[in-house]
């Protein structure tokens, strides 16, 4: 984005308090807009959109925490509780869709028969999860959460730093989460030290990857969650940065998605293993093989991003993008005129 042509950014130069209330209002309305359709349960996309809205609302509350003075009923924890209940249902929808559309058509008849029974089991779990979603959305605690946010939006309350220009504090809001992301131990999974440098192992076959994921896969899942937090936080401030910033947002999204593919495959495998109560490779050999193939493909995508983000130049470029908002340059240009 060229500063001289970034009129959109210039008009959006605002205070920290303005940015915080704007983000909370946007994602709160996005969340509740889908509420009625989620209860009806006619379209799984409605559930997905409400869950995304709640995640982004939670990210806004977390990201702007230093400036916000929210009531207890509107805390990050309260929002997260509702999101987790919706997430249980959404995760079952993802599993059902994946098994039915991605795997089922590629299985022999005998494995399809076993999968038919597993799908029935998932549908029963989904029915229970839907009851939980309807219960929380009709519960007084959720009504209290909504009302407290609506009341706050009518008369927002902030900490003393609310009047600081957003350009001055954006790096302070973003860098702590990004630093936690960079320092995560999962970046070193499948690496070795060679000549004083970290080197990504490029000679791991599918079997070795399976062993590594079985032993240490949970830290990849944890990095995925941190990537999600960073992505949603960065999405709040896209209007205040250049295209370079958006490149890093897309990188974080790619990391989240490829690690999500690994996690989703592992969750499916665990569910099926528990369901058949036997070695999955013996009971459903074709399906087990397909799951392993997809995990290995996702691992290879992860290694490309892993190499990229183990580069000190890439990390420094990322940090540099965060500490140079375009609005800061635009504000200086305006003042000079």
């Amino acid at each position: 984005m060229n500063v001289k042509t970034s009129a959109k950014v210039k008009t959006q130069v605002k205070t920290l308090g303005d940015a915080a209330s704007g983000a909370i209002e946007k994602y709160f309305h996005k969340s509740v807009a889908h509420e009625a359709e989620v209860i009806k349960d006619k379209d799984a996309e409605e559930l997905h959109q409400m869950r995304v809205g709640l995640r982004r609302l939670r990210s806004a509350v977390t990201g702007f925490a230093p400036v916000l003075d929210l009531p207890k009923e509107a805390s990050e924890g309260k929002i997260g509780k509702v999101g987790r209940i919706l997430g249980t249902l959404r995760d079952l929808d993802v599993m059902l869709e994946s098994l039915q559309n991605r795997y089922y058509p590629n299985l022999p008849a005998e494995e399809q028969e076993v999968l038919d029974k597993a799908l029935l089991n998932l549908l029963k779990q989904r029915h229970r999860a839907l009851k939980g979603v309807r219960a929380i959305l009709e519960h007084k605690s959720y009504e209290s959460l909504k009302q407290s946010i609506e009341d706050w939006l009518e008369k927002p309350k902030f900490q003393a730093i609310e009047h600081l220009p957003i350009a001055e504090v954006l790096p302070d809001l973003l860098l702590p989460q990004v630093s936690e992301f960079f320092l995560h131990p999962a970046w070193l999974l499948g690496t070795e030290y060679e000549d004083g440098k970290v080197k990504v192992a490029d000679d791991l076959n599918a079997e070795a990857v399976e062993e590594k994921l079985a032993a240490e896969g949970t830290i990849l899942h944890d990095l995925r969650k941190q990537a999600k937090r960073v992505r949603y936080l960065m999405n709040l401030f896209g209007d205040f940065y250049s295209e370079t910033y958006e490149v890093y947002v897309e990188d974080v999204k790619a990391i989240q998605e490829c690690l999500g593919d690994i996690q989703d495959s592992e969750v499916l495998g665990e569910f099926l293993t528990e369901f058949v109560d036997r070695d999955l490779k013996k009971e459903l050999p074709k399906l087990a093989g397909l799951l392993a193939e997809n995990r290995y493909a996702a691992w290879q995508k992860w290694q490309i991003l892993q190499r990229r983000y183990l580069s000190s130049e890439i990390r420094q470029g990322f940090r540099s993008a965060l500490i140079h908002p375009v609005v800061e340059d635009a504000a200086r240009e305006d003042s000079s005129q």
Side-chain angles (χ1 to χ4, degrees), residues 184-250:
H184 199 283
W187 291 109
L188 298 178
L189 186 62
T191 65
E192 54 191 21
Y193 286 98
E194 189 175 285
D195 298 327
K197 295 183 179 179
V198 178
K199 181 178 180 294
V200 175
D202 53 10
D203 58 350
L204 295 176
N205 59 25
E207 185 177 350
V209 168
E210 286 293 294
E211 291 176 358
K212 193 160 288 292
L213 289 175
E216 303 177 84
T218 54
I219 67 168
L220 281 181
H221 179 49
D222 192 66
L223 178 61
R224 176 200 182 188
K225 291 190 289 186
Q226 181 62 22
K228 191 181 301 180
R229 286 191 286 269
V230 168
R231 176 190 167 196
Y232 285 159
L233 182 62
M234 291 182 72
N235 279 338
L236 294 174
F237 307 116
D239 288 341
F240 302 105
Y241 284 97
S242 69
E243 282 99 340
T244 302
Y245 178 90
E246 295 300 331
V247 170
Y248 292 116
V249 174
E250 287 301 310

Side-chain angles (χ1 to χ4, degrees), residues 11-225:
T11 60
Q12 291 188 348
V13 176
K14 57 179 83 172
T15 68
L16 182 55
D18 290 336
S21 60
I24 290 172
E25 182 175 23
K26 176 181 177 179
Y27 295 122
F28 172 67
H29 290 313
K30 174 180 172 60
S31 301
V32 299
H34 299 279
E35 182 184 316
E37 293 302 317
V38 168
I39 292 172
K40 291 178 185 177
D41 192 39
K42 299 294 184 183
D43 184 353
E45 183 63 19
E46 295 290 334
L47 171 69
H48 174 57
Q49 291 302 321
M50 184 172 182
R51 187 190 184 196
V52 168
L54 285 169
R55 278 179 168 173
R56 291 187 171 177
L57 175 61
R58 188 182 181 189
S59 292
V61 170
T62 303
F64 286 108
V67 71
L68 294 173
D69 183 6
L70 288 170
K72 291 181 180 179
E73 293 80 5
S75 68
E76 177 267 342
K78 301 280 188 183
I79 299 167
K81 179 181 178 181
V82 178
R84 282 190 294 275
I85 293 172
L86 268 64
T88 299
L89 180 58
R90 175 61 185 169
D91 291 346
L92 289 167
D93 282 345
V94 171
M95 288 175 68
L96 282 162
E97 193 277 334
S98 184
L99 286 174
Q100 289 174 316
N101 300 328
R102 185 175 186 180
Y103 295 106
Y104 192 94
N106 299 308
L107 298 178
E110 60 271 19
E111 292 195 30
Q112 288 182 339
E113 290 180 13
V114 177
L115 202 55
D116 284 334
K117 297 174 184 177
L119 289 168
L120 283 175
N121 181 286
L122 278 176
L123 286 170
K124 290 178 181 177
Q125 291 187 40
R126 189 189 186 282
H127 179 70
R128 291 193 295 270
L130 177 60
K131 288 176 66 176
V133 165
R134 286 172 170 163
I136 191 63
L137 295 184
E138 294 168 356
H139 196 272
K140 63 181 181 181
S141 63
Y142 177 64
E143 290 300 320
S144 176
L145 168 64
K146 288 197 299 180
Q147 189 61 54
S148 64
I149 294 177
E150 288 173 356
D151 292 344
W152 185 87
L153 287 170
E154 284 289 323
K155 288 187 176 182
K157 294 182 179 180
F158 299 103
Q159 305 293 341
I161 60 173
E162 69 164 301
H163 297 297
L164 289 176
I166 187 70
E168 292 183 8
V169 295
L170 277 177
D172 301 315
L173 292 173
L174 289 163
L175 284 168
Q177 285 286 358
V178 172
S179 295
E180 190 174 339
F181 178 60
F182 284 165
L183 292 171
H184 199 283
W187 291 109
L188 298 178
L189 186 62
T191 65
E192 54 191 21
Y193 286 98
E194 189 175 285
D195 298 327
K197 295 183 179 179
V198 178
K199 181 178 180 294
V200 175
D202 53 10
D203 58 350
L204 295 176
N205 59 25
E207 185 177 350
V209 168
E210 286 293 294
E211 291 176 358
K212 193 160 288 292
L213 289 175
E216 303 177 84
T218 54
I219 67 168
L220 281 181
H221 179 49
D222 192 66
L223 178 61
R224 176 200 182 188
K225 291 190 289 186

